[in-house]
């Protein structure tokens, strides 16, 4: 098993450099240790004068909705890349359940983390919004959270923030 770590925001990606031919085999596990991938990223994992063979299994980090992994260059240049167009998470429904407001949404990264922020004025800078919850998208990228309804709130705004 070959374990590799990637990070789109820094030069901390794992890179195996060898001066002799490299033959792939076994399992490749890639873990994203950085922020959410956005699309268009390419990660150099292997550098050798000749790359051959193939991994029996490749385990890649989950991607946000609209993106996919391209491993076609792994045997050519030792790289993997993220392709597609990122679709940001969005709210899909709001409903009242008893004394709670239940908000649901779609298009998150499967099993990825999200934060719910709230404010009473939509024009407030996001840095001043209050963190309401931290949760994870389900395996389909869907999400749902609930909040008690405060009868004193004349208006309340919600925002989904990704890491």
């Amino acid at each position: 098993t070959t374990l590799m770590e990637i990070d789109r925001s820094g030069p901390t990606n794992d890179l195996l450099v060898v001066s002799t031919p490299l033959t792939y085999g076994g399992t490749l596990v890639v873990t994203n240790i950085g922020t959410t991938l956005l699309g268009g990223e390419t990660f150099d994992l292997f550098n050798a004068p000749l790359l051959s063979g193939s991994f029996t299994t490749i385990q890649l980090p989950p991607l946000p909705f609209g993106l996919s992994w391209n491993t076609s260059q792994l045997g050519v240049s030792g790289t993997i890349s993220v392709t597609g167009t990122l679709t940001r998470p969005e709210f899909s429904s709001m409903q009242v359940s008893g004394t709670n407001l239940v908000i649901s949404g779609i298009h998150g990264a499967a099993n990825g983390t999200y934060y719910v922020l709230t404010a009473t004025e939509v024009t407030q800078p996001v840095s001043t919004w209050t963190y309401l919850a931290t949760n994870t998208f389900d395996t389909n990228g869907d999400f749902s959270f609930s909040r008690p309804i405060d009868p004193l709130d004349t208006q309340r705004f919600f925002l989904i923030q990704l890491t």
Side-chain angles (χ1 to χ4, degrees):
T1 299
T2 304
L3 305 173
M4 306 293 278
E5 294 179 336
I6 58 172
D7 181 351
R8 76 173 176 88
S9 61
T12 58
N13 301 312
D14 286 340
L15 173 63
L16 178 62
V17 179
V18 295
S19 58
T20 60
L22 179 64
T23 303
Y24 296 144
T27 299
L28 172 63
V29 177
V30 178
T31 302
N32 180 16
I33 60 170
T35 58
T36 302
L37 299 172
L38 303 175
E41 296 94 348
T42 297
F43 301 98
D44 293 317
L45 300 181
F46 303 98
N47 185 332
L50 177 66
L51 300 167
S52 63
S54 61
F55 290 102
T56 306
T57 304
I58 300 176
Q59 297 174 10
L60 300 170
L63 293 172
F65 190 84
L67 300 181
S68 61
W69 284 105
N70 179 352
T71 59
S72 66
Q73 295 301 301
L74 198 54
V76 178
S77 61
T79 63
I80 59 173
S81 59
V82 180
T83 60
T85 302
L86 178 65
T87 302
R88 297 273 183 197
E90 60 186 64
F91 298 115
S92 60
S93 71
M94 289 187 182
Q95 38 188 338
V96 175
S97 176
T99 60
N100 290 317
L101 177 65
V102 179
I103 302 174
S104 301
I106 56 176
H107 296 191
N111 303 311
T113 301
Y114 69 90
Y115 304 95
V116 179
L117 285 73
T118 186
T120 56
E121 286 295 327
V122 74
T123 58
Q124 286 179 234
V126 173
S127 62
T128 65
W129 286 44
T130 302
Y131 280 90
L132 178 64
T134 301
N135 212 336
T136 56
F137 298 106
D138 67 16
T139 56
N140 295 317
D142 299 334
F143 65 95
S144 182
F145 64 94
S146 64
R147 178 187 195 283
I149 297 171
D150 183 348
L152 299 178
D153 277 349
T154 57
Q155 62 184 8
R156 171 90 28 208
F157 300 92
F158 299 93
L159 174 73
I160 297 295
Q161 185 179 63
L162 304 176
T163 57

